[in-house]
Amino acid sequence: MAERQALPTAVASGPARGWLPGLGGAALWTLAQHAAFFACAWGVSWWAGAQRFGAFGQGLALAAMLPAAVTLRLEYAGQLERRPRRAQSLFGLAETGALTCSVLLVALLSLASLREDVPAWLWAASLAVLPQAGMLVLASREARSGSTVLAAALRGAPAIVMAAVLALAWLLRLDEAIEWSIPLSAWLCWLPACAWLNARCAGAPRKARAARARLVAAKHWPFVRAELPAFMLNTSANHGQVLLIGLLAGDAMAGTAALALRIAMLPTSVFGLAMADRLRARVVAVGRGAMLLPMMRQSIRRMAGLSLATHAVAALGALALLPWVFPAQGPALVTVVLWLLPLGMVRFVASPLAFLLPWRGWLGLSLLGQCLLFACALLSVLAGFPLAGLDGVATVYAVSASFVYLGYVYAALKAVRDDT
């Protein structure tokens, strides 16, 4: 019993204590991660041209999508599991799933290469899946224990190291290393991170022995069955909208849409994971008691205030900087970003709350929300583009998806209220 109570005592030291400093440190690591990605994209495009940048970009996209899928989202379940033994077992299952899927992926590519050439970026991205997934599992372990800043650092480290690897390759004129910087940076981060975390925990009290994996997997199978399709729908919505715009209007429009979405959602990308990690740790620590609802209301008020401030700064920055930084896209980019910023403001608050539905066991409602967001992303193109081009798409998407995200906030509060 003392072991089960250690986490709540460490994490739930009070709703207000250390909220902003921890969040700020994690946000700085996430901002550094995004800055490294932008620097890599700009550097490769300037160094090797648009075609080589396209291959590099596809490798990055694949290396970002697959790692969270091959763990079957079990590291997410482990973050929400209150009992240490079961959480340990879930993290172990996530690592086993990542290893198995990575080996199968490389084997399939090896078979395919017997019949036709496999692009270098596809090989590189596939070899990066295992270490990237391993970093996600390590980050989830740290986030569960309340180490939000360290979790953000683990997630952002591969991108930061990749920027250094590409800079070194440019100095040595090794342009063939561009795609291979993706797996190289991932392995250079994962192996030392494992060694360092194991050494750090060597003198700590012995962790709880993992529960039997088969029993834990059976208990959490409904969670995986609902959460994994929801994650895939979310990923498909993010990329499917841009692909559909490209199909209807060409690459230039798709590029503008993708850039506008990335810029408008940047505040959520920077703060969202850190807020979700901190909120999950505190919810697991507090448990389903009378303190949960006041703590959630206070967190929502704080997130709403932070969202308003960051998106006001983003709007001013879009008006002042985008025409100068991205002159090729012209005023169309600024207009689309301004239309999407209100959606980003709502998503900033709703996104960290999405875990409450699976945690409460409302898996069907969670999956329904992802289905609605997927429909909003694709139907906004079909409905808005014939009317007003990208402005129409942004308007329809912002309005429709905002209602879905507000529904997430309402459902999250209802889930907490039902528990208390």
Side-chain angles (χ1 to χ4, degrees), residues 127-128 131-132 135 158 161 181-191:
L127 292 174
Q132 289 277 35
M135 292 296 282
V161 172
S181 65
I182 302 170
L184 180 60
S185 60
W187 284 98
L188 284 175
C189 290
W190 183 46
L191 294 178

Side-chain angles (χ1 to χ4, degrees), residues 62-76 90-106 108 125-137 190 221 224 227-229 231-232 235:
L62 192 62
M65 291 167 56
L66 287 182
V70 298
T71 61
L72 303 179
R73 304 294 282 163
L74 288 169
E75 84 286 0
Y76 185 29
L90 287 166
F91 291 134
L93 287 169
E95 292 169 342
T96 302
L99 176 61
T100 304
C101 293
S102 299
V103 170
L104 289 176
L105 181 59
V106 173
L108 288 174
S126 301
L127 292 174
V129 168
L130 177 59
Q132 289 277 35
M135 292 296 282
L136 290 179
V137 176
W190 183 46
W221 172 244
V224 172
E227 176 59 26
L228 186 60
F231 169 78
M232 297 307 295
T235 303

Side-chain angles (χ1 to χ4, degrees), residues 20-396:
L20 195 57
L23 181 60
L28 285 176
W29 276 107
T30 309
L31 187 60
Q33 176 187 6
H34 284 276
F37 273 125
F38 278 117
C40 291
W42 178 85
V44 171
S45 182
W46 170 79
W47 173 21
Q51 184 174 357
R52 196 65 180 275
F53 168 70
F56 176 73
Q58 290 178 86
L60 280 180
L62 192 62
M65 291 167 56
L66 287 182
V70 298
T71 61
L72 303 179
R73 304 294 282 163
L74 288 169
E75 84 286 0
Y76 185 29
Q79 219 174 323
L80 300 178
E81 175 58 58
R82 184 175 176 83
R83 282 160 284 198
R85 290 184 61 201
R86 288 190 177 180
Q88 260 196 282
S89 187
L90 287 166
F91 291 134
L93 287 169
E95 292 169 342
T96 302
L99 176 61
T100 304
C101 293
S102 299
V103 170
L104 289 176
L105 181 59
V106 173
L108 288 174
L109 283 181
S110 301
L111 292 175
S113 65
L114 298 177
R115 302 191 59 180
E116 57 184 73
D117 290 336
V118 176
W121 66 264
L122 188 54
W123 276 113
S126 301
L127 292 174
V129 168
L130 177 59
Q132 289 277 35
M135 292 296 282
L136 290 179
V137 176
L138 291 178
S140 295
R141 288 180 186 270
E142 295 303 318
R144 183 183 183 278
S145 67
S147 302
T148 309
V149 177
L150 182 55
L154 289 169
R155 293 190 184 105
I160 298 169
V161 172
M162 184 171 60
V165 170
L166 282 172
L168 181 61
W170 176 76
L171 289 173
L172 299 176
R173 296 296 188 265
L174 298 175
D175 61 339
E176 65 272 12
I178 288 176
E179 291 86 356
W180 296 104
S181 65
I182 302 170
L184 180 60
S185 60
W187 284 98
L188 284 175
C189 290
W190 183 46
L191 294 178
C194 289
W196 177 66
L197 290 174
N198 287 334
R200 191 188 67 164
C201 297
R206 186 176 179 84
K207 293 182 179 179
R209 184 170 54 88
R212 293 181 62 182
R214 183 172 58 84
L215 297 177
V216 174
K219 176 178 176 56
H220 286 270
W221 172 244
F223 176 90
V224 172
R225 189 176 57 194
E227 176 59 26
L228 186 60
F231 169 78
M232 297 307 295
L233 279 170
N234 183 46
T235 303
S236 301
N238 292 338
H239 296 277
Q241 187 182 49
V242 174
L243 293 175
L244 187 55
I245 291 173
L247 182 65
L248 294 177
D251 294 340
M253 286 282 193
T256 302
L259 189 57
L261 279 167
R262 181 177 289 273
I263 293 170
M265 302 304 159
L266 187 59
T268 304
S269 300
V270 170
F271 289 100
L273 273 176
M275 290 190 299
D277 284 342
R278 195 165 185 82
L279 203 55
R280 277 192 289 262
R282 294 173 68 193
V283 165
V284 170
V286 171
R288 300 180 179 183
M291 291 181 59
L292 184 58
L293 184 58
M295 186 270 285
M296 287 302 306
R297 286 175 173 165
Q298 185 183 54
S299 297
I300 289 174
R301 286 195 297 269
R302 286 173 169 167
M303 290 190 294
L306 185 58
S307 177
L308 183 60
T310 54
H311 285 84
V313 172
L316 294 175
L319 290 169
L321 299 177
L322 289 185
W324 176 64
V325 178
F326 299 103
Q329 283 74 19
L333 176 63
V334 179
T335 306
V336 175
V337 168
L338 292 178
W339 278 115
L340 289 172
L341 280 176
L343 170 61
M345 188 163 57
V346 179
R347 184 182 179 187
F348 188 99
V349 178
S351 182
L353 303 176
F355 77 93
L356 282 166
L357 301 184
W359 177 74
R360 181 66 175 86
W362 296 5
L363 302 176
L365 190 59
S366 177
L367 184 58
L368 174 63
Q370 292 297 341
C371 289
L372 289 174
L373 290 173
F374 178 79
C376 290
L378 298 189
L379 293 179
S380 63
V381 180
L382 300 177
F385 194 83
L387 296 175
L390 284 183
D391 289 351
V393 175
T395 304
V396 175

